[in-house]
Amino acid sequence: MSSTPHFRTFFYLVLASFFFNWLFLVVWPWTNLGHQAPIQDEGSTDITPWAISGAAHAGEEVYAANGCVYCHTQQVRADSSGADIIRGWGTATDLSDDKKQVTRRSYPRDYIWQHEVFLGNSRNGADLSNVAQRFPDAATLYRYLYDPYILNPHSSMPAYRFLFVRQKISGQRSVDALDLAGDDAPPAGYEVVPTAEAKSLVAYLLSLQKGYHLPDEKGPVPATPSNKS
Amino acid sequence: MATSSSSAIANKGFASTDPELAAIDASVRWPVLFSFLTSIHWMVVGTILLVYASSLTHPQETIPGLSLFVNLSEQCSFFTYGRVFPAAVDALVYGWATTVGLGLAVWLLARTCRTTVFAPTTLMTGVIFWNIGIALGLTGIFLGDSSSVELLEFPAYSTWVLWIAYTLFAIPLFGTYLGRKPGGDHLAQSWLLVALLAFPWLFATGTTLLGYRLLSPTLSAAGLPSSSWTGSLPGSGVMQGLLDAWYVHGILTLWLAPLGLGLLYYLVPKLSGLSIRFGSKAQVAFWTWVVLAPWTAVHDMVGGPFPADTVTIGLIFSGLIFIPVAFIGMNLVGTAWAGEEKQGHHGGVVLPFLSLAAVVFVAAGISEEILSIRSANQLLRFTMFRECNIFLWVYGFFSFTAFGGMYYIVPRLLDFGWRSALLIKAHYYASLYGILLVLAMLGFGGVMQGLTLENTDTHVTIVNANDVALSFYIAATMCVGLISIGSGIFALHLGWMVLDWLRIQIRGSRLASEILLEPYEGTVPAKSSEEVSA
């Protein structure tokens, strides 16, 4: 291309192919995905998906900083494209009626409140889309993060002890001190408590629960903000 | 890998026999050499980090002394898997591949433009800034500022430095291109230009749009409803995942692949003294690759929360990638093998690396093709096969091209020979078997892991899948260890060569034992070897 007349054509053709790809792969989906709003249920003030708390947003950063995404996905594929539902990763208790279960794939609308989205590309660990379903309270999650080997002795899930501090008990034992037994137990007079980072991480993990239905399950929804379900 | 007898050609020197090319090489000497030296340092750093990270996920009994490191990673956030692993990958992709790639690009651009490089000092400053940016970025990841967006983990403060560095690169590259003389190698140059256009396009778009992510917390802190505002920005919601997929595959297929191919299309005919086999297909291969390759991004989207029609169209396009892969394979593997035959087996230092690179390119293309088949993708999507695919590009194809390139280029920059045939041989075989074993382990392991993950029996859990995966991971870690030995040998050899060269510069006379290796001497008629183009 070094003789001049051809260079322009070459240059434009290369740029055109970049833009072709960019247009159809990025811009076109964006016209669909970029403006998704939560859905308001008819005759109620509830919206789905639920908004996420500030603590959970702070937890996103801890999740990012410690690279959980290199082993965990947060996307449940449809039954037709994988065994995610069979693994139980798409199941959560219905938030509006806790006797019912919602089992479904993930939709783009599930992620609209998250500042940082961790879809992930590797499943060394379980999918965490509905992790709150499997860890009903913060205490269990703290203990799991402190020592994953409790549940599985040869787990490859790393222990996150640096998210906790061991401190001397002064007066009362702290409310969120971990119940640890065996080798993990701190010496008498000491307790292990979660740091602020651990607290927001766990708040974030507990926000990961998709026990609601979306109109998207019935088919594509127009991109414009809608107030109907 | 023949060792020439030293005395016979002791005073011949290593610079190109064509004075014009020799002048070009001399003009890029410092920036290119510096980029080589720093990149090989990142290669070693990245490999060590990678071995460390993957050994953390192994049971502690498997490696003596491992429990010490595991303890460290549990107690100190710096050493946790989720920081070390991305740091390793970034060190390899940016520190190693991109740094050496920029050096190779400068050299190849000057050569194919047949002009000395424009503003070499600016280039040198660019390489320095680039390295500072990488060091900052890696430090940021260790300190916990990683964004966990694949290949864009570097925190914003280092991204700025990388931007400055690339701008500093762009000026001399552009200037060199403007000063081009006719008669260069068109095909190699086309590949090179694609790479040089794609990198800023990808890097700028990726960092800017995904940088919007950081805006939402700021806006909500300021009391603005974050969803109504940032929800419509391209870097929000699942668009983050989509953009990242586009970016990652762009870096592999529009930056590293064309750059490596440019070098191969330039060096393979030159070294073998043959014109490109099936040369008439080379143009088709080029254009189909440029159009189809970036669509491999949808491999990371199949079944996910993305518009189904985008994925379907993408799989069709990326499925057509066998066309350029086949043609490029015919071109490069065909020519390189014919060249090796002509030289006699292991007739050179450079060509074995390059023909290996060409073969690995085809393997990487096949793995992209496999991932373009929907059912195979569903099986392999979240397994170590994906890691294998990235390895094929970065550690396999690109690294071998870069090694071959450096074995060829450094003697011409310094007018000084490599020091030891044995070290080159050791490097070659350690990398060859290392990469082949890693690929076998990760590829086959990926299939086994996928069969467990996608098992339709509800009793199968992630723990079973890990049990299956584990032995493959352990084997792969050991093979990465083998590769790292090879790279370490190369690093030492390069260091030794440069030190010896400095010694004779200071002494002002050539050493009697100076010449050890002349890779292609005697196999190619001197004139035509510099002229052959496709």
Side-chain angles (χ1 to χ4, degrees):
Chain A
M1 303 299 133
S2 54
S3 40
T4 14
H6 298 302
F7 175 66
R8 283 235 174 101
T9 338
F10 170 80
F11 185 74
Y12 288 133
L13 281 174
V14 168
L15 284 194
S17 83
F18 287 3
F19 274 107
F20 168 73
N21 170 258
W22 170 252
L23 210 68
F24 284 96
L25 191 63
V26 178
V27 180
W28 182 39
W30 173 47
T31 56
N32 265 301
L33 303 175
H35 306 273
Q36 289 197 325
I39 306 284
Q40 187 157 26
D41 290 338
E42 243 171 311
S44 108
T45 52
D46 289 348
I47 52 164
T48 48
W50 265 255
I52 295 174
S53 72
H57 277 313
E60 287 177 1
E61 256 140 68
V62 184
Y63 195 91
N66 296 301
C68 314
V69 73
Y70 299 101
C71 293
H72 290 285
T73 54
Q74 285 188 36
Q75 50 179 321
V76 179
R77 293 172 300 170
D79 239 345
S80 57
S81 23
D84 305 8
I85 304 257
I86 297 173
R87 295 282 88 76
W89 292 329
T91 304
T93 305
D94 195 330
L95 292 172
S96 56
D97 175 356
D98 60 15
K99 281 185 235 22
K100 283 197 224 151
Q101 301 260 302
V102 177
T103 298
R104 63 175 179 84
R105 57 164 292 189
S106 329
Y107 292 93
R109 203 181 300 276
D110 286 321
Y111 302 85
I112 53 174
W113 294 108
Q114 299 184 1
H115 292 162
E116 294 173 55
V117 175
F118 302 103
L119 296 175
N121 286 311
S122 166
R123 275 187 185 153
N124 282 329
D127 186 274
L128 298 182
S129 302
N130 286 301
V131 66
Q133 178 72 15
R134 298 178 306 261
F135 289 83
D137 57 45
T140 353
L141 258 174
Y142 286 139
R143 232 188 43 221
Y144 187 73
L145 292 174
Y146 188 79
D147 186 357
Y149 309 108
I150 299 176
L151 289 188
N152 170 7
H154 55 276
S155 178
S156 48
M157 161 85 184
Y160 287 93
R161 302 211 168 178
F162 58 81
L163 293 175
F164 299 85
V165 281
R166 178 193 286 183
Q167 61 185 32
K168 223 179 158 106
I169 301 176
S170 50
Q172 281 279 343
R173 194 166 174 269
S174 315
V175 275
D176 45 11
L178 274 62
D179 287 321
L180 298 168
D183 287 348
D184 289 340
Y190 285 82
E191 60 181 2
V192 173
V193 292
T195 58
E197 284 190 325
K199 286 181 186 170
S200 38
L201 177 63
V202 163
Y204 170 66
L205 293 174
L206 290 176
S207 80
L208 297 175
Q209 208 272 16
K210 304 195 170 43
Y212 49 84
H213 285 286
L214 287 175
D216 309 66
E217 291 169 57
K218 296 183 196 97
V221 176
T224 44
S226 98
N227 289 324
K228 288 229 161 142
S229 76
Chain B
M1 313 216 169
T3 311
S4 315
S5 79
S6 51
S7 52
I9 45 171
N11 286 315
K12 204 202 127 276
F14 290 85
S16 175
T17 42
D18 179 338
E20 189 194 348
L21 293 183
I24 292 171
D25 289 350
S27 77
V28 297
R29 177 191 285 168
W30 294 114
V32 170
L33 191 65
F34 192 60
S35 89
F36 288 175
L37 286 171
T38 51
S39 72
I40 195 75
H41 145 260
W42 291 121
M43 166 82 161
V44 172
V45 169
T47 312
I48 292 172
L49 290 177
L50 192 66
V51 172
Y52 168 75
S54 42
S55 62
L56 284 183
T57 63
H58 304 337
Q60 301 184 14
E61 320 81 73
T62 48
I63 305 169
L66 180 60
S67 57
L68 193 81
F69 292 112
V70 173
N71 263 325
L72 193 66
S73 76
E74 291 175 355
Q75 304 293 345
C76 176
S77 58
F78 277 35
F79 300 107
T80 190
Y81 178 87
R83 297 189 188 183
V84 183
F85 180 73
V89 174
D90 285 349
L92 289 171
V93 170
Y94 297 108
W96 155 241
T98 302
T99 313
V100 71
L102 286 167
L104 295 169
V106 168
W107 178 82
L108 187 58
L109 188 73
R111 276 274 189 124
T112 56
C113 289
R114 294 196 150 250
T115 172
T116 53
V117 76
F118 176 79
T121 331
T122 319
L123 262 180
M124 189 70 178
T125 327
V127 187
I128 293 171
F129 268 86
W130 184 259
N131 278 288
I132 295 174
I134 287 161
L136 260 181
L138 293 179
T139 315
I141 293 177
F142 282 114
L143 292 177
D145 292 335
S146 158
S147 70
S148 274
V149 178
E150 192 181 14
L151 289 192
L152 287 169
E153 287 94 351
F154 284 167
Y157 47 79
S158 64
T159 305
W160 279 112
V161 184
L162 295 176
W163 270 78
I164 296 173
Y166 197 83
T167 317
L168 290 172
F169 268 109
I171 300 166
L173 289 174
F174 195 60
T176 308
Y177 188 77
L178 287 184
R180 69 193 179 277
K181 294 198 190 86
D185 184 325
H186 299 302
L187 193 59
Q189 201 177 52
S190 312
W191 283 108
L192 178 65
L193 289 178
V194 164
L196 291 176
L197 289 172
F199 187 74
W201 157 241
L202 289 161
F203 195 63
T205 323
T207 50
T208 321
L209 292 184
L210 283 161
Y212 274 133
R213 220 178 63 258
L214 307 171
L215 252 151
S216 2
T218 324
L219 290 176
S220 40
L224 291 164
S226 74
S227 163
S228 68
W229 257 84
T230 52
S232 54
L233 293 175
S236 68
V238 291
M239 280 305 293
Q240 286 173 21
L242 197 154
L243 276 165
D244 193 32
W246 171 80
Y247 178 81
V248 168
H249 292 269
I251 286 290
L252 299 178
T253 63
L254 286 182
W255 164 236
L256 294 183
L259 188 56
L261 288 174
L263 203 69
L264 289 181
Y265 272 106
Y266 183 75
L267 284 181
V268 168
K270 199 185 259 309
L271 286 167
S272 58
L274 301 166
S275 57
I276 289 278
R277 290 284 150 103
F278 309 100
S280 60
K281 306 286 182 298
Q283 283 288 331
V284 187
F286 173 81
W287 286 109
T288 43
W289 179 266
V290 173
V291 172
L292 300 172
W295 286 95
T296 51
V298 297
H299 296 169
D300 288 346
M301 294 161 61
V302 178
F306 301 103
D309 20 5
T310 310
V311 175
T312 309
I313 295 171
L315 285 180
I316 296 172
F317 277 117
S318 72
L320 292 175
I321 208 164
F322 71 88
I323 300 171
V325 170
F327 286 157
I328 294 168
M330 284 154 68
N331 284 168
L332 293 176
V333 179
T335 318
W337 281 4
E340 275 193 286
E341 208 151 288
K342 194 174 139 197
Q343 291 185 343
H345 232 28
H346 297 296
V349 170
V350 183
L351 205 52
F353 278 92
L354 298 186
S355 61
L356 192 58
V359 173
V360 177
F361 174 85
V362 177
I366 293 173
S367 90
E368 296 292 356
E369 189 63 39
I370 292 173
L371 290 171
S372 306
I373 301 166
R374 195 181 279 268
S375 53
N377 187 299
Q378 285 164 6
L379 181 72
L380 301 170
R381 168 101 166 70
F382 297 118
T383 68
M384 57 179 96
F385 190 90
R386 185 174 182 279
E387 215 171 297
C388 173
N389 180 251
I390 294 180
F391 254 75
L392 271 167
W393 284 121
V394 181
Y395 246 146
F397 167 69
F398 193 78
S399 293
F400 285 126
T401 313
F403 287 137
M406 286 193 276
Y407 278 126
Y408 182 85
I409 296 170
V410 178
R412 281 160 185 75
L413 294 181
L414 296 182
D415 191 9
F416 192 66
W418 289 96
R419 313 312 296 149
S420 155
L422 186 70
L423 288 185
I424 297 181
K425 228 177 216 165
H427 176 207
Y428 178 77
Y429 285 108
S431 327
L432 173 68
Y433 290 114
I435 196 74
L436 290 182
L437 288 169
V438 169
L439 298 177
M441 289 307 138
L442 293 181
F444 186 60
V447 174
M448 299 306 287
Q449 191 186 9
L451 287 173
T452 323
L453 275 174
E454 305 304 323
N455 196 313
T456 47
D457 181 348
T458 44
H459 298 292
V460 173
T461 65
I462 187 77
V463 177
N464 304 118
N466 273 338
D467 287 345
V468 171
L470 193 64
S471 42
F472 292 103
Y473 269 128
I474 294 174
T477 308
M478 297 196 311
C479 305
V480 173
L482 191 60
I483 299 182
S484 61
I485 293 173
S487 317
I489 291 174
F490 179 77
L492 291 176
H493 197 179
L494 184 62
W496 178 16
M497 180 178 178
V498 172
L499 283 181
D500 266 4
W501 178 77
L502 285 173
R503 253 195 12 227
I504 65 157
Q505 294 306 301
I506 292 164
R507 250 203 251 146
S509 65
R510 304 191 85 112
L511 300 173
S513 62
E514 176 193 328
I515 281 92
L516 288 170
L517 290 168
E518 176 56 332
Y520 73 127
E521 197 61 39
T523 56
V524 181
K527 184 66 185 163
S528 72
S529 77
E530 302 289 9
E531 291 298 345
V532 170
S533 70

